[in-house]
Amino acid sequence: MIQVDFSVKELIDECQEMTNPAASAKCATDDELVQSVEGIIRELEAAVIETSQTDETKDEGGAKNDDGADNTNEHAAVNAESGDDDGEKVVSLELEEEWEKERARSKRHKRYIAAAEEREQQTIAKQNERGDRIKWNAMRDLDEAEEKQHQRDDMSVMLSKWDDVQQAQMGEHSYYRDRQRWWRHRKAERAREMELDDADRRQQEREACASEKPASATTERRDLIEALIKEIPSDPKALFEWPVKWEQVNDALIKSKIEPAVRKRLAEYLGGEGDDSSVSELSDYVVTHIREHKPPQELIDELEMVLVEEAPTFVARIWRFVVYESEAHARNVT
């Protein structure tokens, strides 16, 4: 547009120069003037056409750029929408999973509540049934007691007013109508009553024996043990002369009872002066001496180096325990 404006200005200037009397020399004839004007017009038309084409080219380029930007924006929008869709899908899946878990928890909770309520109802029903049964039994017992009391009262009143002569004359009672028949029925009833009484008595005796048997057995065993303890002499000389039943002193008895007793007694006598190794060594020596059935005096002589004056007392206590266990196993009072 600037070029067109410039050409029009030049055309106006040239026309003014042509009309100027001083420029008449340059354009001698009209033909030259016409030719000059036509040339200027052609240049002006060419300039206008060129300017128009340039503007069209720019407009097309801008349109293309706008179209490209629009396409880019559309692609970006599509990608954004697809991304949003993917995100929404992930979020919806997570929400659905959480909802399923919550629904499963709710169902389990409802089942637990229903089961607890059912158990509670069953417990209540059992308690009510038990209460009703207890109440019914109590009422039955009360009715029976009242009936028996009424029967006793009626019998007392009847017996207080009974007159044998009058009843014999009336003959209403079976005893007076047919005494033999009455006696047969009475013997049968009496026999049945005695059988029931004997059965009840035997049942009570069995229950009493069953309850007293463990206590009596325990008492008998305790009496035998006390008698055996009293029978074994306390004097060391008599104790060492007691014939030990060595056939009862087997390895099982030594390991289960004699060896623990020896270890315990040695720990008591040695106290803080002996450690576990010395106690174990002395215990093994004493147990070996007992296992080989050696006499107790030899054991005293060997232990005097360690226990000194307490050796006889220690050996007497151990030997008394050996004698007791052998006699208890022999007499089967263990």
Side-chain angles (χ1 to χ4, degrees), residues 158-175:
M158 184 185 67
L159 292 177
S160 63
K161 298 178 180 181
W162 189 267
D163 187 356
D164 287 336
V165 176
Q166 184 180 2
Q167 291 295 330
Q169 292 176 356
M170 294 174 60
E172 294 179 356
H173 198 277
S174 60
Y175 174 79

PDB file of all heavy atoms in Angstrom, residues 158-175:
ATOM      1  N   MET A 158     -60.281 -89.669 109.451  1.00  0.00           N
ATOM      2  CA  MET A 158     -61.049 -90.898 109.290  1.00  0.00           C
ATOM      3  C   MET A 158     -60.744 -91.882 110.412  1.00  0.00           C
ATOM      4  O   MET A 158     -61.652 -92.530 110.975  1.00  0.00           O
ATOM      5  CB  MET A 158     -60.756 -91.512 107.930  1.00  0.00           C
ATOM      6  CG  MET A 158     -61.601 -92.754 107.627  1.00  0.00           C
ATOM      7  SD  MET A 158     -61.129 -93.545 106.088  1.00  0.00           S
ATOM      8  CE  MET A 158     -59.499 -94.151 106.493  1.00  0.00           C
ATOM      9  N   LEU A 159     -59.450 -92.037 110.750  1.00  0.00           N
ATOM     10  CA  LEU A 159     -59.083 -92.977 111.804  1.00  0.00           C
ATOM     11  C   LEU A 159     -59.575 -92.525 113.181  1.00  0.00           C
ATOM     12  O   LEU A 159     -59.886 -93.353 114.049  1.00  0.00           O
ATOM     13  CB  LEU A 159     -57.565 -93.163 111.841  1.00  0.00           C
ATOM     14  CG  LEU A 159     -56.963 -93.883 110.628  1.00  0.00           C
ATOM     15  CD1 LEU A 159     -55.452 -93.934 110.747  1.00  0.00           C
ATOM     16  CD2 LEU A 159     -57.524 -95.297 110.490  1.00  0.00           C
ATOM     17  N   SER A 160     -59.608 -91.196 113.345  1.00  0.00           N
ATOM     18  CA  SER A 160     -60.112 -90.706 114.642  1.00  0.00           C
ATOM     19  C   SER A 160     -61.588 -91.018 114.818  1.00  0.00           C
ATOM     20  O   SER A 160     -62.076 -91.157 115.947  1.00  0.00           O
ATOM     21  CB  SER A 160     -59.864 -89.201 114.757  1.00  0.00           C
ATOM     22  OG  SER A 160     -60.592 -88.487 113.765  1.00  0.00           O
ATOM     23  N   LYS A 161     -62.328 -91.152 113.744  1.00  0.00           N
ATOM     24  CA  LYS A 161     -63.760 -91.429 113.807  1.00  0.00           C
ATOM     25  C   LYS A 161     -64.107 -92.870 113.435  1.00  0.00           C
ATOM     26  O   LYS A 161     -65.284 -93.209 113.275  1.00  0.00           O
ATOM     27  CB  LYS A 161     -64.516 -90.490 112.877  1.00  0.00           C
ATOM     28  CG  LYS A 161     -64.375 -89.013 113.236  1.00  0.00           C
ATOM     29  CD  LYS A 161     -65.103 -88.144 112.256  1.00  0.00           C
ATOM     30  CE  LYS A 161     -64.970 -86.660 112.593  1.00  0.00           C
ATOM     31  NZ  LYS A 161     -65.725 -85.813 111.623  1.00  0.00           N
ATOM     32  N   TRP A 162     -63.100 -93.744 113.256  1.00  0.00           N
ATOM     33  CA  TRP A 162     -63.348 -95.106 112.768  1.00  0.00           C
ATOM     34  C   TRP A 162     -64.004 -95.951 113.847  1.00  0.00           C
ATOM     35  O   TRP A 162     -63.594 -95.947 115.003  1.00  0.00           O
ATOM     36  CB  TRP A 162     -62.021 -95.727 112.330  1.00  0.00           C
ATOM     37  CG  TRP A 162     -62.188 -97.043 111.613  1.00  0.00           C
ATOM     38  CD1 TRP A 162     -62.149 -98.281 112.150  1.00  0.00           C
ATOM     39  CD2 TRP A 162     -62.432 -97.208 110.232  1.00  0.00           C
ATOM     40  NE1 TRP A 162     -62.350 -99.237 111.210  1.00  0.00           N
ATOM     41  CE2 TRP A 162     -62.518 -98.611 109.987  1.00  0.00           C
ATOM     42  CE3 TRP A 162     -62.606 -96.335 109.165  1.00  0.00           C
ATOM     43  CZ2 TRP A 162     -62.755 -99.132 108.733  1.00  0.00           C
ATOM     44  CZ3 TRP A 162     -62.829 -96.862 107.913  1.00  0.00           C
ATOM     45  CH2 TRP A 162     -62.900 -98.247 107.700  1.00  0.00           C
ATOM     46  N   ASP A 163     -65.001 -96.718 113.403  1.00  0.00           N
ATOM     47  CA  ASP A 163     -65.715 -97.617 114.297  1.00  0.00           C
ATOM     48  C   ASP A 163     -65.808 -98.966 113.612  1.00  0.00           C
ATOM     49  O   ASP A 163     -66.482 -99.116 112.591  1.00  0.00           O
ATOM     50  CB  ASP A 163     -67.103 -97.072 114.610  1.00  0.00           C
ATOM     51  CG  ASP A 163     -67.849 -97.881 115.692  1.00  0.00           C
ATOM     52  OD1 ASP A 163     -67.286 -98.921 116.125  1.00  0.00           O
ATOM     53  OD2 ASP A 163     -68.934 -97.478 116.059  1.00  0.00           O
ATOM     54  N   ASP A 164     -65.064 -99.966 114.151  1.00  0.00           N
ATOM     55  CA  ASP A 164     -65.032-101.280 113.509  1.00  0.00           C
ATOM     56  C   ASP A 164     -66.418-101.924 113.454  1.00  0.00           C
ATOM     57  O   ASP A 164     -66.786-102.542 112.437  1.00  0.00           O
ATOM     58  CB  ASP A 164     -64.072-102.203 114.253  1.00  0.00           C
ATOM     59  CG  ASP A 164     -62.614-101.815 114.000  1.00  0.00           C
ATOM     60  OD1 ASP A 164     -62.354-101.188 112.937  1.00  0.00           O
ATOM     61  OD2 ASP A 164     -61.752-102.139 114.821  1.00  0.00           O
ATOM     62  N   VAL A 165     -67.167-101.822 114.492  1.00  0.00           N
ATOM     63  CA  VAL A 165     -68.493-102.463 114.533  1.00  0.00           C
ATOM     64  C   VAL A 165     -69.400-101.844 113.474  1.00  0.00           C
ATOM     65  O   VAL A 165     -70.081-102.546 112.715  1.00  0.00           O
ATOM     66  CB  VAL A 165     -69.106-102.336 115.942  1.00  0.00           C
ATOM     67  CG1 VAL A 165     -70.515-102.914 115.955  1.00  0.00           C
ATOM     68  CG2 VAL A 165     -68.215-103.014 116.969  1.00  0.00           C
ATOM     69  N   GLN A 166     -69.401-100.549 113.420  1.00  0.00           N
ATOM     70  CA  GLN A 166     -70.246 -99.863 112.446  1.00  0.00           C
ATOM     71  C   GLN A 166     -69.813-100.174 111.026  1.00  0.00           C
ATOM     72  O   GLN A 166     -70.655-100.412 110.159  1.00  0.00           O
ATOM     73  CB  GLN A 166     -70.196 -98.359 112.711  1.00  0.00           C
ATOM     74  CG  GLN A 166     -71.123 -97.562 111.792  1.00  0.00           C
ATOM     75  CD  GLN A 166     -71.050 -96.067 112.081  1.00  0.00           C
ATOM     76  OE1 GLN A 166     -70.278 -95.642 112.945  1.00  0.00           O
ATOM     77  NE2 GLN A 166     -71.854 -95.297 111.374  1.00  0.00           N
ATOM     78  N   GLN A 167     -68.466-100.183 110.751  1.00  0.00           N
ATOM     79  CA  GLN A 167     -67.963-100.467 109.412  1.00  0.00           C
ATOM     80  C   GLN A 167     -68.274-101.922 109.030  1.00  0.00           C
ATOM     81  O   GLN A 167     -68.597-102.206 107.869  1.00  0.00           O
ATOM     82  CB  GLN A 167     -66.454-100.211 109.355  1.00  0.00           C
ATOM     83  CG  GLN A 167     -66.090 -98.739 109.463  1.00  0.00           C
ATOM     84  CD  GLN A 167     -66.578 -97.920 108.285  1.00  0.00           C
ATOM     85  OE1 GLN A 167     -66.696 -98.434 107.164  1.00  0.00           O
ATOM     86  NE2 GLN A 167     -66.906 -96.646 108.534  1.00  0.00           N
ATOM     87  N   ALA A 168     -68.183-102.845 110.009  1.00  0.00           N
ATOM     88  CA  ALA A 168     -68.506-104.251 109.716  1.00  0.00           C
ATOM     89  C   ALA A 168     -69.985-104.410 109.385  1.00  0.00           C
ATOM     90  O   ALA A 168     -70.356-105.192 108.494  1.00  0.00           O
ATOM     91  CB  ALA A 168     -68.117-105.129 110.894  1.00  0.00           C
ATOM     92  N   GLN A 169     -70.806-103.669 110.079  1.00  0.00           N
ATOM     93  CA  GLN A 169     -72.241-103.742 109.783  1.00  0.00           C
ATOM     94  C   GLN A 169     -72.566-103.121 108.425  1.00  0.00           C
ATOM     95  O   GLN A 169     -73.399-103.635 107.693  1.00  0.00           O
ATOM     96  CB  GLN A 169     -73.026-103.044 110.884  1.00  0.00           C
ATOM     97  CG  GLN A 169     -72.988-103.744 112.234  1.00  0.00           C
ATOM     98  CD  GLN A 169     -73.685-102.979 113.326  1.00  0.00           C
ATOM     99  OE1 GLN A 169     -74.154-101.837 113.101  1.00  0.00           O
ATOM    100  NE2 GLN A 169     -73.811-103.590 114.524  1.00  0.00           N
ATOM    101  N   MET A 170     -71.888-102.046 108.107  1.00  0.00           N
ATOM    102  CA  MET A 170     -72.137-101.381 106.815  1.00  0.00           C
ATOM    103  C   MET A 170     -71.563-102.207 105.663  1.00  0.00           C
ATOM    104  O   MET A 170     -72.197-102.325 104.612  1.00  0.00           O
ATOM    105  CB  MET A 170     -71.528 -99.986 106.811  1.00  0.00           C
ATOM    106  CG  MET A 170     -72.206 -99.030 107.805  1.00  0.00           C
ATOM    107  SD  MET A 170     -71.358 -97.427 107.896  1.00  0.00           S
ATOM    108  CE  MET A 170     -71.532 -96.902 106.196  1.00  0.00           C
ATOM    109  N   GLY A 171     -70.376-102.778 105.818  1.00  0.00           N
ATOM    110  CA  GLY A 171     -69.769-103.616 104.792  1.00  0.00           C
ATOM    111  C   GLY A 171     -69.352-102.872 103.538  1.00  0.00           C
ATOM    112  O   GLY A 171     -69.275-103.449 102.455  1.00  0.00           O
ATOM    113  N   GLU A 172     -69.080-101.612 103.696  1.00  0.00           N
ATOM    114  CA  GLU A 172     -68.662-100.847 102.501  1.00  0.00           C
ATOM    115  C   GLU A 172     -67.195-101.074 102.159  1.00  0.00           C
ATOM    116  O   GLU A 172     -66.827-101.086 100.973  1.00  0.00           O
ATOM    117  CB  GLU A 172     -68.916 -99.356 102.759  1.00  0.00           C
ATOM    118  CG  GLU A 172     -70.401 -99.012 102.893  1.00  0.00           C
ATOM    119  CD  GLU A 172     -70.620 -97.539 103.172  1.00  0.00           C
ATOM    120  OE1 GLU A 172     -69.576 -96.821 103.333  1.00  0.00           O
ATOM    121  OE2 GLU A 172     -71.779 -97.096 103.210  1.00  0.00           O
ATOM    122  N   HIS A 173     -66.370-101.263 103.159  1.00  0.00           N
ATOM    123  CA  HIS A 173     -64.939-101.431 102.904  1.00  0.00           C
ATOM    124  C   HIS A 173     -64.647-102.857 102.459  1.00  0.00           C
ATOM    125  O   HIS A 173     -65.274-103.805 102.911  1.00  0.00           O
ATOM    126  CB  HIS A 173     -64.140-101.085 104.168  1.00  0.00           C
ATOM    127  CG  HIS A 173     -62.684-100.808 103.904  1.00  0.00           C
ATOM    128  ND1 HIS A 173     -61.761-101.811 103.787  1.00  0.00           N
ATOM    129  CD2 HIS A 173     -62.015 -99.633 103.729  1.00  0.00           C
ATOM    130  CE1 HIS A 173     -60.559-101.278 103.558  1.00  0.00           C
ATOM    131  NE2 HIS A 173     -60.701 -99.947 103.520  1.00  0.00           N
ATOM    132  N   SER A 174     -63.694-103.018 101.555  1.00  0.00           N
ATOM    133  CA  SER A 174     -63.368-104.353 101.029  1.00  0.00           C
ATOM    134  C   SER A 174     -62.838-105.271 102.124  1.00  0.00           C
ATOM    135  O   SER A 174     -62.959-106.493 102.024  1.00  0.00           O
ATOM    136  CB  SER A 174     -62.340-104.236  99.917  1.00  0.00           C
ATOM    137  OG  SER A 174     -61.141-103.620 100.398  1.00  0.00           O
ATOM    138  N   TYR A 175     -62.241-104.709 103.146  1.00  0.00           N
ATOM    139  CA  TYR A 175     -61.724-105.530 104.243  1.00  0.00           C
ATOM    140  C   TYR A 175     -62.859-106.273 104.934  1.00  0.00           C
ATOM    141  O   TYR A 175     -62.702-107.430 105.355  1.00  0.00           O
ATOM    142  CB  TYR A 175     -60.986-104.629 105.238  1.00  0.00           C
ATOM    143  CG  TYR A 175     -60.523-105.328 106.484  1.00  0.00           C
ATOM    144  CD1 TYR A 175     -59.374-106.118 106.468  1.00  0.00           C
ATOM    145  CD2 TYR A 175     -61.239-105.206 107.682  1.00  0.00           C
ATOM    146  CE1 TYR A 175     -58.953-106.763 107.619  1.00  0.00           C
ATOM    147  CE2 TYR A 175     -60.818-105.848 108.828  1.00  0.00           C
ATOM    148  CZ  TYR A 175     -59.668-106.630 108.786  1.00  0.00           C
ATOM    149  OH  TYR A 175     -59.239-107.273 109.925  1.00  0.00           O
TER     150      TYR A 175
END
